[in-house]
Amino acid sequence: QVQVVESGGGSVQAGGSLLLSCQTSTYTYETLCMHWFRQAPGKEREVVASFYRGGGSTTYADFVEGRFTTSRDNLKNMVSLKMDSLKPDDTGRYFCAAGSPQVNGGNIDCPTDQAHVNYWGQGTQVTVSS
């Protein structure tokens, strides 16, 4: 069974920064795409960022507005999400997930639908106070 383990998170004041890290137990086709999701109380889970571990850029949600940055260390099977200029609206539980890529012509995409996201971490809480 593939394990996905997040670390980091915590409580900060608005404008502060946090670093979330995530490690997968394997590096396989089923974990070539990495995603960060979040879920605020009373709201549906939403995608924060997605990227293909084999290279290329990260796709960020519109609400990120340049404040978050992903990084990867494939030798350690680790990815990170650096969050700067945090807002109270960023409060929620953040989940790391691993999934399969989808090849569309010459492009490699990382879909965030249930059919492609295979493994989930337990989530880590991020609380931003005003």
Side-chain angles (χ1 to χ4, degrees), residues 11-23:
S11 298
V12 294
Q13 290 190 326
S17 299
L18 285 173
L19 176 67
L20 307 183
S21 297
C22 172
Q23 187 169 31

Side-chain angles (χ1 to χ4, degrees), residues 2-104:
V2 176
Q3 292 184 325
V4 179
V5 181
E6 302 106 334
S7 60
S11 298
V12 294
Q13 290 190 326
S17 299
L18 285 173
L19 176 67
L20 307 183
S21 297
C22 172
Q23 187 169 31
T24 61
S25 58
T26 64
Y27 185 91
T28 65
Y29 180 80
E30 291 184 315
T31 64
L32 283 179
C33 288
M34 295 302 298
H35 310 277
W36 288 98
F37 290 83
R38 73 182 187 183
Q39 187 166 20
K43 295 185 178 181
E44 292 189 355
R45 188 165 54 197
E46 58 185 352
V47 178
V48 177
S50 298
F51 60 90
Y52 175 61
R53 289 168 115 175
S57 60
T58 299
T59 300
Y60 295 96
D62 289 343
F63 61 76
V64 170
E65 299 174 325
R67 301 176 296 128
F68 299 175
T69 306
T70 61
S71 60
R72 69 202 75 176
D73 184 337
N74 290 338
L75 292 179
K76 296 181 179 179
N77 289 341
M78 289 192 69
V79 300
S80 298
L81 179 68
K82 178 74 184 309
M83 304 186 292
D84 297 315
S85 303
L86 283 163
K87 306 174 183 179
D89 284 347
D90 294 317
T91 294
R93 193 162 187 85
Y94 284 67
F95 298 87
C96 177
S100 307
Q102 184 176 60
V103 180
N104 292 314

